[in-house]
Amino acid sequence: LVDGVPRAMNDLDTDEIETFTVLKDAAATAVYGSEGANGVVLITTKRGRAQKTVVSFNAQYSIATPTRMPELMNSWDYLSLWNEASWNDAGNPDWTNYMQNNAPYSAEVLDMYRNGTDRDLYPNSIWTDLLADNTHNQRYTINFRGGSEKTRFFVSGAFYDEKGIFKSNPIDDYDANIGVKRYNLRSNVDMDITRTTKLSVDMSGQYRTKNNPGSSSESIFKHIVVFPTHLIPMTWSDGTASAVTGESDGRYNPYNLLNYSGYTKQWSAALQSKVTLKQELDFITKGLKAHVKGAYNSSVSFTKKRRGKTPHYEPLIQSDGSVVLRRVDEETVLGYEEAIGRGKDLSLIHI
C-alpha cells in the first residue's frame, strides 16, 4: 500500500519514500483480509512541513560488472582438442601418425586458424566480445519541501537511466541493446481549509521507455556460449551477414540474433492521484474524526516491434581456391507491429 492505496512499488523513486514498513505476523495483517495472507508492505511518501523551502539534489552514477563471465576457447585450441577427442575415439593409435594422416584438422589448417591467414575461411569468433565488460546506470533527483502553517508541500522530480550489457551496432533509429529510462514526478500538498478541516491532494506520474533486441536476452546469451568459435566470423570481410546452412543444428550466429533480428521499443505513462478530506467532529463527540479518501490510477502504453531477416551468406570454395558467398535464405522479410494498452483504476474509501 502506497499512502493507503494499493499501488506498485516500482512506480516510486526511493527519494519519495518517508517510511517503509513490512507486516508479516497474522495479527498485523488480519485487517487486510486475504490480500494480506503473504504479508503487507506499507509505504508512506514524504510530505511538506511548515518551514522555509528546502531544496535537495541527489546524483548517482553506478557501474555494474558481472561477477563471472564464460571464457570461450579460441578456435585453434578448440580444434586441437577435437583432434584429441577423435584420437581417443579411434582407440589411441600412434599419435604422430594419426595426427599427420587421420586427424580431422591437419597441422596446416590449425596454423591457418592460429595465424589469422583468412578470417573468412579460418575464423576465430570470440562471441563473448558481443558483451561489454560492464554497464552503467545513473539517477538524478531534485526535491522541494516546505510550506506555511496553512499550506505544506513536497514536490519531487527524478530521472533514471540504465544501459544493457550487449554491444550492438546502433544506427539511425536502430539500437538493439537493452535499455530503460524513467522519469518520475510527485506533488503532495496539504491544506488547512479551516481549523477542523484539512484537505490533501497527491499526484504522481511516471514516464518510461524500454528497449530490447528482437531476440530474447536468454536466446542471445545461450548462443554466445554454445555457438562454436571456428565455424564462421561474426560478419564476412565485406560486411555481409554470415551464416552456415541450417545454422549448425539449431545454433544461431549470436551477432545476427543481436543486430539483425529487429528490436522492441515500449513507451508507457502512468498517473496516480489521491484526494483526502479530514474533518474533526468534536462538536458531536470529543476526539471523533472522519475522513474520505478517493484515488484514481490511469496508465497507457505503446509498443513498437520491428522484425527483420537480413540475407545471410555462407562461403563456397571454388576449384581454383577462390571463395564465393552463397545466399542462404530465400528473401528478406520485414515485419512491423504496434500495440497500445490502457488501464484505469478508481477507488473511493469512506472511513
Side-chain angles (χ1 to χ4, degrees):
L1 298 178
V2 179
D3 291 330
V5 179
R7 284 173 179 161
M9 290 189 296
N10 55 6
D11 289 335
L12 291 172
D13 183 80
T14 54
D15 278 4
E16 299 177 11
I17 299 175
E18 184 77 64
T19 63
F20 188 99
T21 306
V22 179
L23 305 179
K24 296 181 6 180
D25 61 278
T29 61
V31 295
Y32 299 99
S34 60
E35 292 187 356
N38 295 320
V40 178
V41 176
L42 304 178
I43 298 176
T44 302
T45 59
K46 294 179 180 178
R47 311 204 68 82
R49 296 172 179 170
Q51 63 181 24
K52 184 178 179 180
T53 301
V54 176
V55 180
S56 60
F57 177 76
N58 183 24
Q60 297 179 359
Y61 184 88
S62 303
I63 297 176
T65 303
T67 55
R68 188 178 65 174
M69 292 290 289
E71 295 184 11
L72 300 185
M73 184 177 293
N74 59 58
S75 56
W76 54 91
D77 285 340
Y78 177 89
L79 295 177
S80 296
L81 291 177
W82 185 285
N83 282 345
E84 184 176 345
S86 176
W87 175 73
N88 288 330
D89 290 341
N92 305 119
D94 179 75
W95 173 267
T96 303
N97 180 66
Y98 183 83
M99 290 300 162
Q100 290 178 350
N101 302 300
N102 302 104
Y105 298 92
S106 66
E108 292 77 12
V109 171
L110 294 179
D111 285 338
M112 293 288 191
Y113 279 100
R114 183 181 295 106
N115 299 329
T117 304
D118 186 339
R119 284 307 183 198
D120 283 343
L121 294 179
Y122 308 100
N124 180 39
S125 302
I126 305 302
W127 302 109
T128 48
D129 289 344
L130 293 173
L131 303 176
D133 293 333
N134 52 62
T135 183
H136 70 272
N137 61 70
Q138 51 190 327
R139 185 172 73 93
Y140 305 95
T141 62
I142 185 169
N143 301 326
F144 301 86
R145 195 175 197 178
S148 63
E149 296 296 333
K150 294 284 188 180
T151 304
R152 299 161 298 281
F153 63 87
F154 172 78
V155 179
S156 170
F159 169 72
Y160 178 79
D161 178 29
E162 184 170 1
K163 302 296 184 183
I165 199 171
F166 293 129
K167 287 183 182 177
S168 65
N169 291 330
I171 58 176
D172 292 340
D173 197 33
Y174 187 104
D175 185 2
N177 193 16
I178 300 172
V180 59
K181 291 183 179 179
R182 185 187 68 198
Y183 302 83
N184 283 64
L185 287 174
R186 173 171 290 277
S187 172
N188 292 346
V189 179
D190 300 310
M191 296 171 284
D192 294 347
I193 299 177
T194 67
R195 186 178 59 83
T196 60
T197 306
K198 298 180 180 180
L199 178 67
S200 298
V201 179
D202 301 347
M203 296 191 67
S204 60
Q206 303 82 35
Y207 174 73
R208 288 183 295 271
T209 62
K210 295 181 180 179
N211 196 81
N212 288 285
S215 298
S216 67
S217 298
E218 178 185 5
S219 177
I220 295 173
F221 271 103
K222 169 188 173 182
H223 293 289
I224 282 176
V225 174
V226 302
F227 198 85
T229 58
H230 70 283
L231 283 183
I232 53 175
M234 293 189 183
T235 61
W236 302 118
S237 55
D238 63 356
T240 55
S242 61
V244 292
T245 303
E247 286 286 11
S248 187
D249 298 327
R251 294 176 293 184
Y252 294 89
N253 183 340
Y255 186 92
N256 296 342
L257 293 178
L258 177 60
N259 293 290
Y260 295 145
S261 65
Y263 65 90
T264 299
K265 287 182 178 291
Q266 182 183 59
W267 297 264
S268 61
L271 177 67
Q272 303 89 33
S273 61
K274 187 189 70 169
V275 177
T276 303
L277 181 64
K278 298 181 181 180
Q279 177 65 54
E280 296 181 4
L281 302 175
D282 288 343
F283 63 92
I284 299 178
T285 300
K286 188 172 180 59
L288 180 63
K289 299 179 181 179
H291 72 265
V292 177
K293 179 189 300 180
Y296 177 78
N297 300 334
S298 179
S299 63
V300 61
S301 64
F302 175 80
T303 302
K304 178 173 69 175
K305 295 182 179 180
R306 290 187 175 181
R307 297 288 181 265
K309 188 177 181 182
T310 302
H312 299 160
Y313 298 84
E314 66 176 359
L316 294 178
I317 303 176
Q318 306 301 301
S319 58
D320 60 358
S322 62
V323 178
V324 176
L325 294 180
R326 180 176 70 89
R327 187 166 172 169
V328 176
D329 51 354
E330 295 296 328
E331 60 181 354
T332 299
V333 180
L334 297 177
Y336 181 79
E337 178 182 349
E338 293 185 357
I340 299 177
R342 293 185 175 88
K344 294 182 180 179
D345 180 41
L346 176 64
S347 58
L348 184 63
I349 305 171
H350 301 272
I351 300 179

